[in-house]
Amino acid sequence: MRVNWSVWKHPFILLNSVGIAGIGDFIYLIAINLLVFDMTGSAAAVAGLWIIGPFVNVVTKFWTGSFIDYRSKRKIMMITYIARGVFIFCIPFSSNIMMVYFFLICISIAKSFFVPSSMTYTTQLVPKKLRKRYNSIHALTSSGAFIIGPAVAGTLILMTSIKDTLFINAGAFILAALLLLFLPDKEAFTTKAPAISLHQIKQDWTTAVQFLTAFKYVAIVYGAYLTTTIFSFAMDTQEVVFTQQVVGLSQLDYSLLISITGIGSIIGAFLLAIFTQKLSLQLLIAIGIFMQTVGYLFYAFSWSFFSIAFGFTVLGFFNAFLNAGMMTFYQNNVPTELMGRVTSILQLLQSSFQIIFVLMVGVTAEVIPLRVTIILLAFGMLILAMVLIWSVSLPSKKRYFEEAT
């Protein structure tokens, strides 16, 4: 495969930036879980870490889109990287758990600005004909971060300490921000950005909702995909309990399962990055969602380490197919001038339902067996997968999946 470096120069720098930040995210995740547990000795305090992100999204997504769409996406990405690095650097100096949670909330706020900005800037920077391959390579870097991040975190913690690991982690985000200095701004604003006000937020919401109403097909397809992520998130929060208490595996077995999932993700993403141009967007999405659902069904009905390992390998392998396909579909069909607002609204709904589903699963697991709850979620995901596959297979909607400029 010949690579035109003049075309790939800027996407390559962006991939390096988000790749370093992705590894930093996993180092941070491991270190902060250990730090909070060391400080409190409470499993509930550690579990609370999983709620911070969705909760912050619910609070901030009302207005982040109104801020992002009128300002430089590259500069917002740089500022959020630096903010995350600074707040991570401050965590080791915290004298109590409340200060730690305060910094974690600040980090989550920065990330809530980063995601829509990054989505929009990537769409602006990467030409349409390169997006599918770019997203495939990005899936590979994300899968690599899933393996490399925890491994680096474990090594750093063993060689130094949790606090020193966080200091190094902060440096990774600063490096990711510096790489963005070598990329261009892709927009020139000739007027002053409007002030954030209730009127402006309402107006921007109206504009975004009008777009989603006018392009119902885009909203339905991407909405179905986001709903599957809500189902998978609800199942993932119960993984430890399900594998250990229901199936009877040990903590070591569970750690091995996570590694197997990561290896499956890397292999799938690597093959996708090589052969992505041979596969259509419809095929990527259809194969990805169907096989990921098959993996969760194996997981739901599993009875041993090997049956869960097979399910995890399948869903890990095909996760890259689904994400690359859906990301490209979204980038090709949502205008960049609206993408910050549209993305923020969709993520607000996603986070709200994530919180509701996690609470529902926690309550129902006390009433009915956890296996039954997981099976119901897996079958719900299967129904959504069939709807999504049918939707992307409609011949009349083929224009939404065109990849040529």
Side-chain angles (χ1 to χ4, degrees):
M1 180 183 68
R2 295 179 63 184
V3 178
N4 186 342
W5 287 110
S6 63
V7 175
W8 275 97
K9 176 184 175 182
H10 288 153
F12 180 74
I13 294 173
L14 182 60
L15 279 169
N16 276 277
S17 177
V18 297
I20 291 170
I23 293 173
D25 278 332
F26 280 103
I27 295 173
Y28 156 77
L29 182 64
I30 299 297
I32 203 63
N33 273 271
L34 292 173
L35 180 68
V36 169
F37 189 72
D38 282 351
M39 291 181 70
T40 64
S42 169
V46 176
L49 298 174
W50 292 87
I51 300 296
I52 290 176
F55 177 77
V56 168
N57 272 342
V58 169
V59 174
T60 60
K61 292 300 182 183
F62 282 103
W63 57 277
T64 51
S66 297
F67 182 89
I68 290 165
D69 277 344
Y70 301 103
R71 293 164 176 83
S72 165
K73 316 303 180 291
R74 181 181 70 97
K75 290 177 182 176
I76 293 174
M77 290 172 66
M78 290 178 63
I79 291 169
T80 57
Y81 274 151
I82 293 170
R84 286 153 75 182
V86 169
F87 289 128
I88 289 172
F89 184 85
C90 292
I91 288 174
F93 299 103
S94 303
S95 57
N96 56 65
I97 192 62
M98 295 309 297
M99 286 185 65
V100 172
Y101 272 108
F102 170 76
F103 288 127
L104 296 183
I105 290 171
C106 292
I107 292 167
S108 292
I109 291 173
K111 195 167 185 179
S112 72
F113 279 87
F114 173 81
V115 175
S117 301
S118 174
M119 175 86 76
T120 308
Y121 185 68
T122 300
T123 309
Q124 294 171 334
L125 186 73
V126 182
K128 187 174 182 179
K129 63 182 180 180
L130 300 182
R131 285 175 191 161
K132 189 170 69 173
R133 184 172 293 281
Y134 174 91
N135 288 322
S136 300
I137 298 172
H138 180 251
L140 177 60
T141 62
S142 299
S143 300
F146 182 82
I147 293 293
I148 296 171
V152 171
T155 302
L156 288 175
I157 290 169
L158 285 174
M159 293 178 63
T160 58
S161 66
I162 295 175
K163 293 183 177 181
D164 288 339
T165 299
L166 287 171
F167 291 145
I168 296 170
N169 189 202
F173 284 103
I174 302 301
L175 176 59
L178 292 175
L179 283 174
L180 295 182
L181 288 172
F182 298 95
L183 297 178
D185 270 324
K186 300 299 291 185
E187 59 222 325
F189 297 102
T190 56
T191 58
K192 185 179 179 181
I196 300 298
S197 64
L198 289 177
H199 174 74
Q200 183 64 41
I201 293 170
K202 182 180 178 181
Q203 189 176 35
D204 288 334
W205 265 69
T206 301
T207 302
V209 171
Q210 284 174 344
F211 169 80
L212 293 171
T213 304
F215 293 86
K216 291 185 179 68
Y217 180 74
V218 176
I220 290 171
V221 170
Y222 198 70
Y225 160 70
L226 289 181
T227 307
T228 64
T229 67
I230 293 169
F231 277 74
S232 62
F233 182 82
M235 285 187 277
D236 291 346
T237 59
Q238 296 296 319
E239 265 183 14
V240 175
V241 179
F242 182 81
T243 56
Q244 295 186 24
Q245 293 187 5
V246 177
V247 183
L249 303 184
S250 66
Q251 288 185 352
L252 177 60
D253 291 334
Y254 178 70
S255 299
L256 288 173
L257 287 172
I258 299 301
S259 298
I260 289 170
T261 306
I263 293 170
S265 297
I266 289 177
I267 295 173
F270 179 75
L271 293 176
L272 176 62
I274 295 174
F275 299 108
T276 184
Q277 297 304 111
K278 306 290 185 183
L279 304 172
S280 67
L281 282 183
Q282 295 101 313
L283 193 59
L284 281 180
I285 294 169
I287 291 176
I289 189 61
F290 179 74
M291 295 307 296
Q292 193 175 72
T293 304
V294 168
Y296 274 109
L297 284 169
F298 263 94
Y299 165 66
F301 287 98
S302 59
W303 61 91
S304 67
F305 173 85
F306 292 104
S307 59
I308 296 184
F310 178 79
F312 276 21
T313 301
V314 169
L315 68 89
F317 186 93
F318 288 98
N319 182 59
F321 287 68
L322 176 60
N323 288 342
M326 285 306 310
M327 192 68 66
T328 307
F329 168 81
Y330 185 80
Q331 291 169 337
N332 289 352
N333 288 287
V334 179
T336 54
E337 61 268 20
L338 292 176
M339 193 171 283
R341 283 165 282 182
V342 173
T343 304
S344 294
I345 288 176
L346 293 174
Q347 288 186 338
L348 169 63
L349 296 173
Q350 181 186 19
S351 297
S352 300
F353 282 108
Q354 278 180 340
I355 294 172
I356 293 170
F357 264 65
V358 169
L359 294 175
M360 285 176 58
V361 169
V363 172
T364 55
E366 297 295 324
V367 180
I368 61 176
L370 180 58
R371 183 183 289 277
V372 175
T373 302
I374 299 298
I375 289 173
L376 290 174
L377 287 170
F379 272 108
M381 193 172 178
L382 178 63
I383 293 170
L384 284 167
M386 294 298 102
V387 171
L388 189 55
I389 292 170
W390 173 77
S391 299
V392 302
S393 302
L394 293 172
S396 61
K397 306 299 181 182
K398 189 175 181 179
R399 67 184 185 277
Y400 289 97
F401 299 92
E402 292 176 353
E403 299 173 53
T405 303

